[in-house]
Amino acid sequence: MNTDKKDYDAVVVGSGPNGLAAAILLQQQGLQVLLVEGKSTIGGGLRSAELTLPGFKHDICSAIHPLAAGSPFFAKLPLHQHGLEYIAPEVDAAHPFDDGTAAVLKRSVDETASLLGADADTYRKLIGPVVKNWPGMAADILGPLHIPSKPFAMAHFGLSALQPATMLAKRFKTVQAKGLFAGMAAHSIQPLSNLATSAIGMVLLANGHIGGWVIPKGGSQSIANALASYFTSLGGKIEVNTYITSLAQLPSARAVFFDVTPKQLLQIAGHKFSSIYKWQLERYRYGDGVFKVDWALDGPVPFTAEECRKAGTVHIGGTLEEIEISEKASAAGIHCEKPYVLLAQQSMYDATRAPEGKHTVWAYCHVPNGSTRDMTEIIENQIERFAPGFKDRILAKHTLNTAQMQEHNPNYIGGDINGGIIDIGQLYTRPALRWSPYKTSAKGMYICSSSTPPGGGVHGMCGYNAAKRALKNIFNIKLAKL
């Protein structure tokens, strides 16, 4: 990799949404880029397959994509010209309660607020400004720590976002509003008493009112396929079935990007790093894992609450207090008997997912990192709690514990789908405390995975930010802000 003439301008290792985003931005500048993928198919967490029965197409990891629709980089790409079609459900997300009611996230701020009764004004004041200011501060929220382009809007957001979700939820009076917010904040996969857990809740709610919690037609693989198609249309090259464990496997390049977590990065290139940087990567912390179940059903999930039957996503966990207990238990290494469950029912809106009259359902709960306990019955009991008769509709099922999740995608260390815990200690200093979190201590080497800001989610901004940094440092190309 030290010869004057290089095989490529840049090589990207890993074809998840961040690796694809980095490769695209580099290729857009006229560089010669190679994208290397270890599996036979591209996509990382954006893969779909027939896991249960023929004709039933399931998303292996990511399923619903509020941040894909709200990503300032993806929004600028002509992905619809490359086969990507998003479907907007009538209800973006629903949160059922034991009395048969449900709180809902609708496309309109006012409609969502009006359904929260006494908390209508509180909801409007909390989420309305985020929606209004999102175009001007999305790149700042989904980027590294720096001086924001909209400092006052960011400061207003930060005053609430940096609070623990349990504290911010006290602004609400009703069980419904508190539960709705808790279900959103629990996407952070950590105790809701942690600082900054309100941030993910606010961002997800706001994006429901911006681009929506969209479903990619044909499966999440469709997003990866569209990104790859656009990349190759620009002249980029993709190589699959090439699992990288050593730098010696890579062709020469002026810059190399790794869509991997610190654990793999150390294995591949640790000998090139400074002792301080290696020490920081070795101390990087991973969060809770997930246990996932996919079902083939002979009919839709029979939720008691009508709103849940219309929702693309359903957060199952009951009250704020229940979800708080569930997330705290998982972080403490305890398996909760009534866990918070994220459920998606894509086939309600996408007929390509299942045979006519049949349905697919996707769900997971949080478990201790590295857990191998089978949570299938516990998850099914939680669903049955709010949808009596659910178990009777099961035709087949497929499960993945944390070890199997990691086998599917090596970035899911111990089943952690966020690439490392996103708590206050690793919010902006992931994976290490550096002026640029994307730049390693070795010249020309960058990390562009969800182990960098802003963390997990299908938004591509980790890859975009890493590529933008390298364009400036290595190729002397400075890009304007998104």
Side-chain angles (χ1 to χ4, degrees):
M1 296 179 64
N2 294 319
T3 58
D4 292 331
K5 182 174 174 58
K6 307 297 183 183
D7 296 319
Y8 293 92
D9 292 311
V11 173
V12 180
V13 177
S15 69
N18 289 306
L20 284 161
I24 287 171
L25 184 64
L26 295 163
Q27 193 69 42
Q28 283 179 326
Q29 313 313 310
L31 304 180
Q32 289 185 305
V33 184
L34 171 67
L35 179 64
V36 182
E37 169 56 43
K39 300 285 187 177
S40 60
T41 57
I42 59 160
L46 291 172
R47 291 191 176 101
S48 307
E50 293 184 345
L51 300 177
T52 56
L53 296 172
F56 290 82
K57 187 182 296 183
H58 305 274
D59 292 324
I60 300 176
C61 185
S62 64
I64 308 294
H65 301 280
L67 292 178
S71 167
F73 180 56
F74 285 170
K76 292 182 177 294
L77 305 182
L79 299 182
H80 63 287
Q81 296 176 16
H82 293 266
L84 180 60
E85 180 182 342
Y86 284 133
I87 302 169
E90 182 178 343
V91 175
D92 282 314
H95 190 111
F97 298 93
D98 287 318
D99 63 358
T101 64
V104 297
L105 172 65
K106 301 290 288 282
R107 187 57 53 87
S108 161
V109 173
D110 285 336
E111 186 177 5
T112 302
S114 66
L115 295 172
L116 293 175
D119 287 312
D121 287 342
T122 302
Y123 184 86
R124 288 190 188 95
K125 291 176 182 177
L126 178 66
I127 303 303
V130 185
V131 175
K132 178 182 177 182
N133 295 319
W134 183 259
M137 65 181 189
D140 293 325
I141 292 176
L142 300 176
L145 187 64
H146 63 284
I147 298 174
S149 55
K150 300 287 185 180
F152 294 109
M154 279 293 289
H156 185 271
F157 170 76
L159 286 173
S160 297
L162 291 176
Q163 294 182 32
T166 49
M167 180 181 293
L168 189 63
K170 292 179 180 178
R171 297 187 190 179
F172 296 114
K173 301 173 183 176
T174 65
V175 171
Q176 288 75 18
K178 289 179 180 180
L180 179 65
F181 185 72
M184 299 292 169
H187 279 255
S188 62
I189 316 183
Q190 59 187 293
L192 300 188
S193 56
N194 283 3
L195 287 171
T197 43
S198 290
I200 187 65
M202 293 172 64
V203 167
L204 289 177
L205 285 167
N207 274 273
H209 305 308
I210 301 168
W213 286 36
V214 293
I215 299 168
K217 185 177 181 179
S220 292
Q221 185 74 51
S222 300
I223 301 177
N225 290 347
L227 289 166
S229 175
Y230 176 55
F231 171 62
T232 56
S233 76
L234 296 173
K237 181 181 178 182
I238 297 175
E239 187 176 298
V240 297
N241 292 313
T242 307
Y243 189 77
I244 302 300
T245 58
S246 167
L247 291 175
Q249 295 173 261
L250 297 175
S252 61
R254 294 177 66 187
V256 182
F257 298 80
F258 296 93
D259 186 4
V260 301
T261 79
K263 183 175 182 178
Q264 301 103 294
L265 184 60
L266 282 167
Q267 293 170 346
I268 297 169
H271 62 288
K272 292 285 188 178
F273 299 150
S274 69
S275 58
I276 293 177
Y277 187 65
K278 285 177 64 177
W279 177 78
Q280 289 181 303
L281 293 185
E282 288 165 354
R283 289 170 57 86
Y284 188 75
R285 294 174 294 115
Y286 295 92
D288 293 346
V290 302
F291 184 92
K292 178 174 176 284
V293 189
D294 288 284
W295 295 273
L297 303 182
D298 68 358
V301 181
F303 283 110
T304 301
E306 181 183 358
E307 297 89 343
C308 293
R309 298 196 294 269
K310 298 177 180 178
T313 302
V314 182
H315 291 159
I316 296 173
T319 64
L320 162 67
E321 291 76 16
E322 283 185 84
I323 297 174
E324 182 182 2
I325 290 171
S326 172
E327 297 305 284
K328 185 176 181 180
S330 182
I334 301 169
H335 295 83
C336 187
E337 296 303 310
K338 289 187 176 182
Y340 164 72
V341 175
L342 290 91
L343 180 147
Q345 39 193 12
Q346 302 95 312
S347 61
M348 292 295 295
Y349 291 94
D350 182 0
T352 70
R353 304 298 187 99
E356 186 176 357
K358 311 300 182 183
H359 286 276
T360 60
V361 174
W362 167 109
Y364 70 78
C365 72
H366 302 150
V367 294
N369 189 284
S371 165
T372 55
R373 179 175 173 182
D374 189 335
M375 299 290 286
T376 306
E377 184 177 0
I378 287 175
I379 291 175
E380 289 180 349
N381 287 342
Q382 276 288 74
I383 299 172
E384 185 84 14
R385 172 182 167 189
F386 300 101
F390 164 72
K391 294 180 183 180
D392 296 333
R393 298 192 175 182
I394 297 173
L395 298 173
K397 68 186 74 172
H398 177 274
T399 65
L400 289 170
N401 63 26
T402 65
Q404 292 164 331
M405 289 293 288
Q406 185 173 337
E407 183 180 352
H408 162 70
N409 188 335
N411 277 5
Y412 299 158
I413 306 297
D416 177 358
I417 60 174
N418 270 341
I421 189 169
I422 312 177
D423 61 9
I424 194 67
Q426 288 190 165
L427 186 61
Y428 289 113
T429 59
R430 53 196 301 118
L433 181 60
R434 295 177 63 78
W435 182 254
S436 170
Y438 313 102
K439 190 174 182 292
T440 73
S441 63
K443 184 178 179 180
M445 292 188 192
Y446 296 81
I447 179 171
C448 65
S449 69
S450 60
S451 297
T452 64
V458 179
H459 43 65
M461 292 302 292
C462 306
Y464 169 85
N465 290 321
K468 184 178 179 181
R469 169 59 60 175
L471 285 169
K472 179 181 179 182
N473 292 348
I474 304 296
F475 301 99
N476 199 29
I477 299 173
K478 188 174 182 180
L479 301 180
K481 289 186 176 181
L482 284 172

